[in-house]
Amino acid sequence: MKKQISILALAVFGTAVLMSISPLAVSTARLGGGTGELYTQAQIEKGKYLVGIMGCADCHAPKKMTAQGPIPDPDLGLSGHPAKIPMGKVVKTQDWVLFHPMNTIAVGPWGATFSANLTPHATGIGSWSEEQFIIAMTEGKSKGIRSARPLLPPMPWQNYVHAKKEDLIAIFAYLKSCKPVENVVPQPISPDKL
């Protein structure tokens, strides 16, 4: 019993020492819809930076119109194509790729695709694990499930095949820290159904 108490006291003391030495390194947040991952603030900040420079909001953020043109709507975050906004009439063509004015729908020879909800809501990536996210980003599988359909254009998952695991985890940590937005994104439409 004394040995167990000593080990516990040592663990508590060690944690206190680490926190006093480097608060940023051990400042953590438990995120996500019950997935239980623990991330540092440094990982979240790195993920925010990577999401910004990779242009994820170009397609995954619904837009609002301003005097300077469309910008990501901060209230909707990275929630993908808004389910309440219809696709509208599409001129079928095999020679072009077309984008919705919000840039959240793409139409091409593959059919129509809708950008996914990347927020930690249950309708987004709320229940995803790190492993699912890494599979989606590096293997191009919907919902990060290897037996699922492939991710469709214009998602450039091929660009991330050789991404460092720690970068992908940082991106996931940031996405899990964002405001959850309820939005059930429509399923892709095959070319014959357009």
Side-chain angles (χ1 to χ4, degrees), residues 43-106:
Q43 284 176 302
I44 293 168
E45 290 300 318
K46 180 180 181 181
K48 180 178 181 179
Y49 166 76
L50 291 170
V51 164
I53 66 167
M54 291 167 52
C56 300
D58 291 351
C59 295
H60 290 278
K63 313 299 182 292
K64 65 180 188 177
M65 194 55 71
T66 70
Q68 287 75 40
I71 62 166
D73 186 334
D75 294 331
L76 298 178
L78 295 167
S79 62
H81 181 73
K84 64 183 179 191
I85 295 180
M87 184 167 74
K89 184 171 173 41
V90 175
V91 177
K92 289 174 78 172
T93 178
Q94 294 297 324
D95 300 326
W96 291 88
V97 174
L98 308 171
F99 287 90
H100 185 273
M102 275 198 189
N103 210 36
T104 54
I105 305 175

Short mmCIF file of all heavy atoms in Angstrom, two decimals, residues 43-106:
data_model
loop_
_atom_site.label_atom_id
_atom_site.label_comp_id
_atom_site.label_asym_id
_atom_site.label_seq_id
_atom_site.Cartn_x
_atom_site.Cartn_y
_atom_site.Cartn_z
N GLN A 43 -0.56 21.75 -30.52
CA GLN A 43 -1.06 20.95 -31.66
C GLN A 43 -2.25 21.66 -32.31
O GLN A 43 -2.35 21.71 -33.54
CB GLN A 43 -1.49 19.56 -31.19
CG GLN A 43 -0.38 18.61 -30.92
CD GLN A 43 -0.90 17.29 -30.38
OE1 GLN A 43 -1.58 17.25 -29.36
NE2 GLN A 43 -0.58 16.21 -31.07
N ILE A 44 -3.14 22.18 -31.49
CA ILE A 44 -4.33 22.85 -32.02
C ILE A 44 -3.93 24.08 -32.83
O ILE A 44 -4.44 24.31 -33.94
CB ILE A 44 -5.30 23.21 -30.87
CG1 ILE A 44 -5.87 21.92 -30.25
CG2 ILE A 44 -6.42 24.13 -31.36
CD1 ILE A 44 -6.60 22.12 -28.94
N GLU A 45 -3.00 24.87 -32.31
CA GLU A 45 -2.53 26.06 -33.03
C GLU A 45 -1.84 25.69 -34.34
O GLU A 45 -2.04 26.35 -35.37
CB GLU A 45 -1.60 26.90 -32.16
CG GLU A 45 -2.31 27.60 -31.01
CD GLU A 45 -3.40 28.55 -31.46
OE1 GLU A 45 -3.19 29.29 -32.45
OE2 GLU A 45 -4.48 28.56 -30.84
N LYS A 46 -1.05 24.64 -34.32
CA LYS A 46 -0.39 24.18 -35.55
C LYS A 46 -1.44 23.72 -36.56
O LYS A 46 -1.36 24.03 -37.75
CB LYS A 46 0.59 23.04 -35.25
CG LYS A 46 1.30 22.53 -36.49
CD LYS A 46 2.26 21.39 -36.14
CE LYS A 46 2.99 20.91 -37.39
NZ LYS A 46 3.90 19.80 -37.07
N GLY A 47 -2.44 23.01 -36.08
CA GLY A 47 -3.53 22.56 -36.96
C GLY A 47 -4.28 23.73 -37.58
O GLY A 47 -4.61 23.70 -38.77
N LYS A 48 -4.53 24.76 -36.78
CA LYS A 48 -5.21 25.96 -37.30
C LYS A 48 -4.39 26.59 -38.41
O LYS A 48 -4.92 26.97 -39.46
CB LYS A 48 -5.44 26.95 -36.16
CG LYS A 48 -6.14 28.22 -36.58
CD LYS A 48 -6.35 29.14 -35.39
CE LYS A 48 -7.07 30.40 -35.82
NZ LYS A 48 -7.31 31.30 -34.68
N TYR A 49 -3.09 26.69 -38.18
CA TYR A 49 -2.18 27.24 -39.18
C TYR A 49 -2.23 26.40 -40.47
O TYR A 49 -2.36 26.93 -41.57
CB TYR A 49 -0.76 27.29 -38.61
CG TYR A 49 0.30 27.52 -39.64
CD1 TYR A 49 0.50 28.79 -40.19
CD2 TYR A 49 1.12 26.48 -40.09
CE1 TYR A 49 1.49 29.01 -41.15
CE2 TYR A 49 2.09 26.69 -41.05
CZ TYR A 49 2.27 27.95 -41.58
OH TYR A 49 3.23 28.17 -42.53
N LEU A 50 -2.13 25.08 -40.34
CA LEU A 50 -2.13 24.20 -41.51
C LEU A 50 -3.46 24.27 -42.27
O LEU A 50 -3.47 24.34 -43.50
CB LEU A 50 -1.83 22.75 -41.09
CG LEU A 50 -0.39 22.51 -40.61
CD1 LEU A 50 -0.27 21.13 -39.99
CD2 LEU A 50 0.60 22.69 -41.75
N VAL A 51 -4.57 24.28 -41.55
CA VAL A 51 -5.88 24.38 -42.21
C VAL A 51 -5.97 25.69 -42.98
O VAL A 51 -6.50 25.74 -44.09
CB VAL A 51 -7.02 24.25 -41.16
CG1 VAL A 51 -8.35 24.73 -41.71
CG2 VAL A 51 -7.13 22.80 -40.68
N GLY A 52 -5.40 26.76 -42.42
CA GLY A 52 -5.41 28.05 -43.09
C GLY A 52 -4.58 28.07 -44.36
O GLY A 52 -5.06 28.49 -45.42
N ILE A 53 -3.35 27.59 -44.29
CA ILE A 53 -2.49 27.66 -45.48
C ILE A 53 -2.85 26.61 -46.53
O ILE A 53 -2.51 26.78 -47.70
CB ILE A 53 -0.99 27.56 -45.13
CG1 ILE A 53 -0.62 26.20 -44.56
CG2 ILE A 53 -0.57 28.70 -44.22
CD1 ILE A 53 0.87 25.94 -44.48
N MET A 54 -3.55 25.56 -46.12
CA MET A 54 -3.95 24.53 -47.08
C MET A 54 -5.24 24.91 -47.81
O MET A 54 -5.64 24.23 -48.75
CB MET A 54 -4.12 23.19 -46.37
CG MET A 54 -2.80 22.60 -45.90
SD MET A 54 -2.95 21.22 -44.73
CE MET A 54 -4.04 20.12 -45.56
N GLY A 55 -5.89 25.98 -47.39
CA GLY A 55 -7.09 26.44 -48.08
C GLY A 55 -8.32 25.58 -47.84
O GLY A 55 -9.21 25.54 -48.70
N CYS A 56 -8.41 24.91 -46.71
CA CYS A 56 -9.57 24.04 -46.44
C CYS A 56 -10.89 24.81 -46.51
O CYS A 56 -11.90 24.28 -46.96
CB CYS A 56 -9.41 23.36 -45.09
SG CYS A 56 -7.93 22.32 -44.96
N ALA A 57 -10.86 26.08 -46.07
CA ALA A 57 -12.08 26.89 -46.09
C ALA A 57 -12.52 27.24 -47.50
O ALA A 57 -13.69 27.58 -47.72
CB ALA A 57 -11.88 28.17 -45.28
N ASP A 58 -11.62 27.13 -48.47
CA ASP A 58 -12.01 27.43 -49.86
C ASP A 58 -13.23 26.61 -50.27
O ASP A 58 -14.11 27.11 -50.95
CB ASP A 58 -10.86 27.16 -50.82
CG ASP A 58 -9.71 28.14 -50.67
OD1 ASP A 58 -9.86 29.14 -49.93
OD2 ASP A 58 -8.67 27.89 -51.29
N CYS A 59 -13.26 25.34 -49.87
CA CYS A 59 -14.38 24.47 -50.24
C CYS A 59 -15.27 24.11 -49.06
O CYS A 59 -16.47 23.95 -49.23
CB CYS A 59 -13.86 23.17 -50.86
SG CYS A 59 -13.01 23.41 -52.43
N HIS A 60 -14.71 23.94 -47.86
CA HIS A 60 -15.48 23.42 -46.73
C HIS A 60 -16.20 24.48 -45.93
O HIS A 60 -16.99 24.14 -45.04
CB HIS A 60 -14.58 22.58 -45.82
CG HIS A 60 -14.15 21.30 -46.45
ND1 HIS A 60 -14.95 20.17 -46.45
CD2 HIS A 60 -13.01 20.96 -47.11
CE1 HIS A 60 -14.31 19.20 -47.08
NE2 HIS A 60 -13.14 19.66 -47.50
N ALA A 61 -15.96 25.76 -46.20
CA ALA A 61 -16.65 26.84 -45.47
C ALA A 61 -17.71 27.46 -46.36
O ALA A 61 -17.39 27.96 -47.44
CB ALA A 61 -15.65 27.90 -45.03
N PRO A 62 -18.98 27.45 -45.93
CA PRO A 62 -20.00 28.20 -46.66
C PRO A 62 -19.61 29.67 -46.70
O PRO A 62 -18.94 30.17 -45.79
CB PRO A 62 -21.26 27.99 -45.83
CG PRO A 62 -21.01 26.73 -45.08
CD PRO A 62 -19.53 26.73 -44.78
N LYS A 63 -19.99 30.35 -47.76
CA LYS A 63 -19.57 31.74 -47.95
C LYS A 63 -20.73 32.71 -47.76
O LYS A 63 -21.89 32.35 -47.92
CB LYS A 63 -19.01 31.95 -49.37
CG LYS A 63 -18.01 30.92 -49.86
CD LYS A 63 -16.76 30.82 -49.05
CE LYS A 63 -15.77 29.83 -49.60
NZ LYS A 63 -16.15 28.44 -49.52
N LYS A 64 -20.37 33.95 -47.45
CA LYS A 64 -21.33 35.04 -47.48
C LYS A 64 -20.74 36.13 -48.35
O LYS A 64 -19.52 36.27 -48.44
CB LYS A 64 -21.68 35.53 -46.08
CG LYS A 64 -20.56 36.15 -45.31
CD LYS A 64 -21.06 36.57 -43.95
CE LYS A 64 -20.03 37.38 -43.22
NZ LYS A 64 -20.51 37.86 -41.94
N MET A 65 -21.60 36.87 -49.02
CA MET A 65 -21.14 37.88 -49.97
C MET A 65 -20.82 39.18 -49.24
O MET A 65 -21.56 39.61 -48.37
CB MET A 65 -22.20 38.11 -51.04
CG MET A 65 -21.70 38.88 -52.23
SD MET A 65 -20.23 38.17 -53.04
CE MET A 65 -20.92 36.74 -53.82
N THR A 66 -19.70 39.78 -49.62
CA THR A 66 -19.30 41.08 -49.09
C THR A 66 -18.96 41.98 -50.27
O THR A 66 -18.97 41.53 -51.42
CB THR A 66 -18.05 40.96 -48.18
OG1 THR A 66 -16.92 40.64 -48.99
CG2 THR A 66 -18.24 39.92 -47.09
N ALA A 67 -18.60 43.22 -49.98
CA ALA A 67 -18.21 44.14 -51.05
C ALA A 67 -16.95 43.66 -51.77
O ALA A 67 -16.73 43.99 -52.93
CB ALA A 67 -17.98 45.54 -50.46
N GLN A 68 -16.13 42.86 -51.09
CA GLN A 68 -14.92 42.32 -51.70
C GLN A 68 -15.14 40.93 -52.31
O GLN A 68 -14.18 40.29 -52.73
CB GLN A 68 -13.78 42.21 -50.67
CG GLN A 68 -13.18 43.55 -50.27
CD GLN A 68 -14.09 44.33 -49.33
OE1 GLN A 68 -14.70 43.77 -48.45
NE2 GLN A 68 -14.19 45.63 -49.55
N GLY A 69 -16.37 40.48 -52.35
CA GLY A 69 -16.67 39.15 -52.88
C GLY A 69 -16.98 38.17 -51.77
O GLY A 69 -17.10 38.55 -50.61
N PRO A 70 -17.09 36.88 -52.11
CA PRO A 70 -17.46 35.90 -51.09
C PRO A 70 -16.32 35.64 -50.10
O PRO A 70 -15.15 35.58 -50.49
CB PRO A 70 -17.77 34.64 -51.90
CG PRO A 70 -17.05 34.82 -53.19
CD PRO A 70 -16.94 36.29 -53.43
N ILE A 71 -16.69 35.53 -48.81
CA ILE A 71 -15.74 35.17 -47.77
C ILE A 71 -16.36 34.07 -46.91
O ILE A 71 -17.59 33.93 -46.86
CB ILE A 71 -15.35 36.37 -46.88
CG1 ILE A 71 -16.59 36.91 -46.14
CG2 ILE A 71 -14.66 37.47 -47.69
CD1 ILE A 71 -16.26 37.87 -45.01
N PRO A 72 -15.54 33.25 -46.24
CA PRO A 72 -16.10 32.23 -45.36
C PRO A 72 -16.99 32.84 -44.29
O PRO A 72 -16.65 33.86 -43.69
CB PRO A 72 -14.87 31.56 -44.74
CG PRO A 72 -13.78 31.80 -45.74
CD PRO A 72 -14.09 33.17 -46.32
N ASP A 73 -18.13 32.22 -44.06
CA ASP A 73 -19.08 32.67 -43.05
C ASP A 73 -18.59 32.17 -41.69
O ASP A 73 -18.61 30.96 -41.44
CB ASP A 73 -20.47 32.13 -43.36
CG ASP A 73 -21.53 32.66 -42.42
OD1 ASP A 73 -21.21 33.05 -41.28
OD2 ASP A 73 -22.72 32.68 -42.82
N PRO A 74 -18.16 33.07 -40.79
CA PRO A 74 -17.61 32.62 -39.51
C PRO A 74 -18.62 31.88 -38.64
O PRO A 74 -18.24 31.06 -37.82
CB PRO A 74 -17.13 33.91 -38.84
CG PRO A 74 -17.82 35.02 -39.54
CD PRO A 74 -18.16 34.52 -40.92
N ASP A 75 -19.91 32.14 -38.83
CA ASP A 75 -20.93 31.45 -38.04
C ASP A 75 -21.08 29.99 -38.46
O ASP A 75 -21.53 29.17 -37.68
CB ASP A 75 -22.29 32.14 -38.17
CG ASP A 75 -22.28 33.53 -37.56
OD1 ASP A 75 -21.50 33.75 -36.59
OD2 ASP A 75 -23.03 34.40 -38.03
N LEU A 76 -20.72 29.67 -39.69
CA LEU A 76 -20.88 28.31 -40.19
C LEU A 76 -19.57 27.53 -40.22
O LEU A 76 -19.58 26.31 -40.46
CB LEU A 76 -21.52 28.34 -41.59
CG LEU A 76 -22.92 28.96 -41.63
CD1 LEU A 76 -23.45 29.00 -43.05
CD2 LEU A 76 -23.88 28.20 -40.72
N GLY A 77 -18.46 28.19 -39.96
CA GLY A 77 -17.18 27.50 -39.88
C GLY A 77 -16.91 26.61 -41.08
O GLY A 77 -17.21 26.95 -42.21
N LEU A 78 -16.35 25.45 -40.80
CA LEU A 78 -16.01 24.48 -41.85
C LEU A 78 -17.10 23.40 -41.94
O LEU A 78 -16.80 22.22 -41.97
CB LEU A 78 -14.65 23.86 -41.53
CG LEU A 78 -13.46 24.82 -41.57
CD1 LEU A 78 -12.22 24.18 -40.94
CD2 LEU A 78 -13.17 25.25 -43.00
N SER A 79 -18.35 23.84 -42.00
CA SER A 79 -19.48 22.91 -41.93
C SER A 79 -19.91 22.35 -43.27
O SER A 79 -20.93 21.66 -43.36
CB SER A 79 -20.67 23.58 -41.24
OG SER A 79 -21.11 24.70 -41.98
N GLY A 80 -19.18 22.61 -44.33
CA GLY A 80 -19.50 22.02 -45.64
C GLY A 80 -20.67 22.70 -46.32
O GLY A 80 -21.12 23.77 -45.91
N HIS A 81 -21.16 22.06 -47.37
CA HIS A 81 -22.29 22.64 -48.10
C HIS A 81 -23.54 22.66 -47.24
O HIS A 81 -23.96 21.62 -46.72
CB HIS A 81 -22.57 21.88 -49.40
CG HIS A 81 -23.71 22.51 -50.15
ND1 HIS A 81 -23.57 23.72 -50.81
CD2 HIS A 81 -25.01 22.14 -50.29
CE1 HIS A 81 -24.74 24.05 -51.35
NE2 HIS A 81 -25.62 23.11 -51.03
N PRO A 82 -24.17 23.83 -47.07
CA PRO A 82 -25.38 23.91 -46.25
C PRO A 82 -26.51 23.07 -46.85
O PRO A 82 -26.90 23.27 -48.00
CB PRO A 82 -25.74 25.39 -46.25
CG PRO A 82 -24.47 26.09 -46.63
CD PRO A 82 -23.75 25.16 -47.54
N ALA A 83 -27.02 22.14 -46.07
CA ALA A 83 -28.07 21.23 -46.53
C ALA A 83 -29.30 21.98 -47.00
O ALA A 83 -30.01 21.53 -47.90
CB ALA A 83 -28.44 20.25 -45.41
N LYS A 84 -29.56 23.15 -46.41
CA LYS A 84 -30.78 23.91 -46.76
C LYS A 84 -30.66 24.68 -48.07
O LYS A 84 -31.63 25.24 -48.56
CB LYS A 84 -31.15 24.85 -45.62
CG LYS A 84 -30.12 25.93 -45.37
CD LYS A 84 -30.47 26.80 -44.19
CE LYS A 84 -29.35 27.82 -44.03
NZ LYS A 84 -29.44 28.53 -42.81
N ILE A 85 -29.49 24.74 -48.65
CA ILE A 85 -29.31 25.47 -49.92
C ILE A 85 -29.32 24.47 -51.07
O ILE A 85 -28.44 23.62 -51.17
CB ILE A 85 -28.00 26.29 -49.92
CG1 ILE A 85 -28.11 27.37 -48.85
CG2 ILE A 85 -27.74 26.89 -51.29
CD1 ILE A 85 -26.89 28.25 -48.73
N PRO A 86 -30.32 24.57 -51.94
CA PRO A 86 -30.40 23.61 -53.05
C PRO A 86 -29.27 23.80 -54.06
O PRO A 86 -28.69 24.87 -54.17
CB PRO A 86 -31.76 23.91 -53.69
CG PRO A 86 -32.07 25.31 -53.29
CD PRO A 86 -31.39 25.56 -51.98
N MET A 87 -28.99 22.74 -54.79
CA MET A 87 -27.92 22.79 -55.78
C MET A 87 -28.29 23.68 -56.95
O MET A 87 -27.44 24.35 -57.52
CB MET A 87 -27.62 21.37 -56.29
CG MET A 87 -26.45 21.34 -57.25
SD MET A 87 -25.84 19.69 -57.57
CE MET A 87 -27.10 19.04 -58.63
N GLY A 88 -29.54 23.70 -57.32
CA GLY A 88 -29.96 24.47 -58.48
C GLY A 88 -29.79 23.68 -59.76
O GLY A 88 -29.32 22.55 -59.76
N LYS A 89 -30.16 24.29 -60.87
CA LYS A 89 -30.08 23.62 -62.16
C LYS A 89 -28.63 23.56 -62.64
O LYS A 89 -27.89 24.52 -62.55
CB LYS A 89 -30.93 24.38 -63.18
CG LYS A 89 -31.00 23.71 -64.54
CD LYS A 89 -32.04 24.40 -65.39
CE LYS A 89 -32.08 23.95 -66.81
NZ LYS A 89 -31.93 22.56 -67.08
N VAL A 90 -28.26 22.39 -63.13
CA VAL A 90 -26.90 22.18 -63.62
C VAL A 90 -26.95 21.83 -65.09
O VAL A 90 -27.73 20.98 -65.52
CB VAL A 90 -26.21 21.02 -62.85
CG1 VAL A 90 -24.85 20.72 -63.44
CG2 VAL A 90 -26.10 21.35 -61.38
N VAL A 91 -26.14 22.53 -65.88
CA VAL A 91 -26.00 22.20 -67.29
C VAL A 91 -25.01 21.05 -67.36
O VAL A 91 -23.86 21.19 -66.93
CB VAL A 91 -25.49 23.42 -68.10
CG1 VAL A 91 -25.27 23.04 -69.55
CG2 VAL A 91 -26.44 24.59 -67.96
N LYS A 92 -25.45 19.91 -67.86
CA LYS A 92 -24.56 18.75 -67.92
C LYS A 92 -23.49 18.96 -68.98
O LYS A 92 -23.76 19.41 -70.08
CB LYS A 92 -25.37 17.49 -68.24
CG LYS A 92 -26.25 17.06 -67.08
CD LYS A 92 -27.15 15.92 -67.44
CE LYS A 92 -26.40 14.62 -67.44
NZ LYS A 92 -27.26 13.45 -67.59
N THR A 93 -22.28 18.64 -68.58
CA THR A 93 -21.17 18.73 -69.52
C THR A 93 -20.09 17.76 -69.10
O THR A 93 -19.86 17.55 -67.93
CB THR A 93 -20.60 20.16 -69.60
OG1 THR A 93 -19.50 20.14 -70.50
CG2 THR A 93 -20.15 20.67 -68.26
N GLN A 94 -19.44 17.17 -70.06
CA GLN A 94 -18.29 16.30 -69.79
C GLN A 94 -16.98 17.06 -69.98
O GLN A 94 -15.92 16.55 -69.68
CB GLN A 94 -18.32 15.09 -70.74
CG GLN A 94 -19.49 14.16 -70.50
CD GLN A 94 -19.46 13.52 -69.11
OE1 GLN A 94 -18.40 13.21 -68.57
NE2 GLN A 94 -20.62 13.36 -68.51
N ASP A 95 -17.09 18.30 -70.46
CA ASP A 95 -15.88 19.06 -70.79
C ASP A 95 -15.46 20.07 -69.74
O ASP A 95 -14.41 20.69 -69.89
CB ASP A 95 -16.11 19.79 -72.12
CG ASP A 95 -16.40 18.83 -73.26
OD1 ASP A 95 -15.84 17.71 -73.25
OD2 ASP A 95 -17.20 19.18 -74.14
N TRP A 96 -16.28 20.26 -68.71
CA TRP A 96 -16.00 21.30 -67.73
C TRP A 96 -16.21 20.79 -66.32
O TRP A 96 -16.96 19.85 -66.09
CB TRP A 96 -16.94 22.50 -67.94
CG TRP A 96 -16.65 23.26 -69.18
CD1 TRP A 96 -17.16 23.02 -70.42
CD2 TRP A 96 -15.80 24.37 -69.32
NE1 TRP A 96 -16.67 23.91 -71.33
CE2 TRP A 96 -15.83 24.77 -70.67
CE3 TRP A 96 -15.01 25.10 -68.43
CZ2 TRP A 96 -15.10 25.85 -71.14
CZ3 TRP A 96 -14.29 26.18 -68.91
CH2 TRP A 96 -14.34 26.53 -70.26
N VAL A 97 -15.57 21.48 -65.38
CA VAL A 97 -15.85 21.31 -63.96
C VAL A 97 -16.48 22.62 -63.53
O VAL A 97 -15.96 23.70 -63.80
CB VAL A 97 -14.57 21.03 -63.15
CG1 VAL A 97 -14.86 21.02 -61.67
CG2 VAL A 97 -13.94 19.71 -63.59
N LEU A 98 -17.63 22.53 -62.87
CA LEU A 98 -18.37 23.71 -62.44
C LEU A 98 -18.41 23.78 -60.92
O LEU A 98 -18.49 22.75 -60.25
CB LEU A 98 -19.80 23.65 -62.99
CG LEU A 98 -19.95 23.40 -64.49
CD1 LEU A 98 -21.41 23.14 -64.84
CD2 LEU A 98 -19.41 24.60 -65.26
N PHE A 99 -18.41 25.00 -60.39
CA PHE A 99 -18.51 25.18 -58.94
C PHE A 99 -19.71 26.05 -58.60
O PHE A 99 -20.01 27.01 -59.30
CB PHE A 99 -17.24 25.84 -58.39
CG PHE A 99 -16.06 24.92 -58.36
CD1 PHE A 99 -15.21 24.83 -59.45
CD2 PHE A 99 -15.81 24.12 -57.26
CE1 PHE A 99 -14.13 23.97 -59.44
CE2 PHE A 99 -14.74 23.25 -57.24
CZ PHE A 99 -13.89 23.17 -58.33
N HIS A 100 -20.37 25.72 -57.50
CA HIS A 100 -21.47 26.50 -56.95
C HIS A 100 -20.90 27.85 -56.49
O HIS A 100 -19.71 27.93 -56.14
CB HIS A 100 -22.05 25.71 -55.76
CG HIS A 100 -23.25 26.32 -55.15
ND1 HIS A 100 -23.17 27.29 -54.15
CD2 HIS A 100 -24.57 26.12 -55.36
CE1 HIS A 100 -24.39 27.63 -53.78
NE2 HIS A 100 -25.25 26.94 -54.51
N PRO A 101 -21.70 28.92 -56.47
CA PRO A 101 -21.18 30.22 -56.03
C PRO A 101 -20.55 30.19 -54.63
O PRO A 101 -19.66 30.98 -54.34
CB PRO A 101 -22.41 31.13 -56.06
CG PRO A 101 -23.29 30.52 -57.09
CD PRO A 101 -23.07 29.03 -56.99
N MET A 102 -20.98 29.28 -53.76
CA MET A 102 -20.36 29.15 -52.44
C MET A 102 -19.08 28.32 -52.49
O MET A 102 -18.39 28.20 -51.49
CB MET A 102 -21.31 28.49 -51.45
CG MET A 102 -22.25 29.43 -50.80
SD MET A 102 -22.91 28.62 -49.34
CE MET A 102 -24.16 29.79 -48.93
N ASN A 103 -18.82 27.71 -53.62
CA ASN A 103 -17.67 26.84 -53.81
C ASN A 103 -17.76 25.58 -52.94
O ASN A 103 -16.76 24.94 -52.64
CB ASN A 103 -16.36 27.57 -53.52
CG ASN A 103 -15.21 27.02 -54.34
OD1 ASN A 103 -15.39 26.63 -55.49
ND2 ASN A 103 -14.04 26.99 -53.76
N THR A 104 -18.97 25.22 -52.53
CA THR A 104 -19.17 24.04 -51.69
C THR A 104 -19.77 22.87 -52.47
O THR A 104 -19.97 21.79 -51.90
CB THR A 104 -20.09 24.37 -50.50
OG1 THR A 104 -21.30 24.95 -50.99
CG2 THR A 104 -19.41 25.33 -49.53
N ILE A 105 -20.04 23.07 -53.76
CA ILE A 105 -20.50 22.00 -54.65
C ILE A 105 -19.64 22.05 -55.90
O ILE A 105 -19.37 23.13 -56.43
CB ILE A 105 -21.97 22.17 -55.10
CG1 ILE A 105 -22.92 22.30 -53.92
CG2 ILE A 105 -22.40 20.99 -55.99
CD1 ILE A 105 -24.37 22.59 -54.33
N ALA A 106 -19.22 20.87 -56.34
CA ALA A 106 -18.49 20.78 -57.61
C ALA A 106 -19.21 19.77 -58.49
O ALA A 106 -19.69 18.74 -58.01
CB ALA A 106 -17.05 20.35 -57.37
#
